[in-house]
Amino acid sequence: MRLRMPSAGSRPRLGTRAVGLYNPAAMSDQRADRIAKLEKLRAIGVDGYGSRFVNVTPAGDIRAAAERLSIAPGSISEAPEAQFRSAGRIALSRDTGKLISLTVRDW
């Protein structure tokens, strides 16, 4: 690889990048392939993200039930009416050392 030194009085070129470290064109090809596969699955009526769980309660309904049952956030209740089944995907993970926070999207 040859590097050119700027001449006196010239401005540095912006927008240059290292070759081989990160290739956005290849990433966009991968993304396009995944989107095309997802569209093919949807065309034949298949959920591309799967739906393996039955009797799932949405997070909003669980929160409403917790308020109705006077369950404080972060508390655990052994009452049968406070037992739910929930499923989702991790949308965001934040690791701050001793504490890890997750944002889960229910499906």
Side-chain angles (χ1 to χ4, degrees):
M1 185 165 113
R2 295 175 60 195
L3 296 174
R4 289 188 349 197
M5 298 302 289
S7 59
S10 69
R11 298 172 58 175
R13 290 177 39 190
L14 299 177
T16 59
R17 63 180 175 164
V19 177
L21 296 177
Y22 172 70
N23 188 351
M27 295 298 284
S28 109
D29 290 345
Q30 237 180 22
R31 185 172 187 270
D33 289 342
R34 289 180 181 176
I35 290 172
K37 287 178 185 178
L38 181 61
E39 288 173 357
K40 285 180 185 177
L41 289 172
R42 286 182 178 161
I44 61 172
V46 176
D47 182 9
Y49 296 105
S51 55
R52 292 174 275 185
F53 299 102
V54 294
N55 300 329
V56 175
T57 307
D61 294 348
I62 295 172
R63 285 180 184 230
E67 288 177 9
R68 189 176 61 250
L69 297 170
S70 300
I71 301 171
S75 309
I76 297 174
S77 175
E78 297 296 329
E81 62 271 7
Q83 303 295 315
F84 299 98
R85 185 171 184 175
S86 182
R89 299 198 187 272
I90 296 173
L92 179 64
S93 173
R94 296 172 301 278
D95 185 355
T96 59
K98 292 184 178 182
L99 177 68
I100 298 175
S101 299
L102 300 175
T103 300
V104 179
R105 292 183 62 194
D106 58 350
W107 297 95

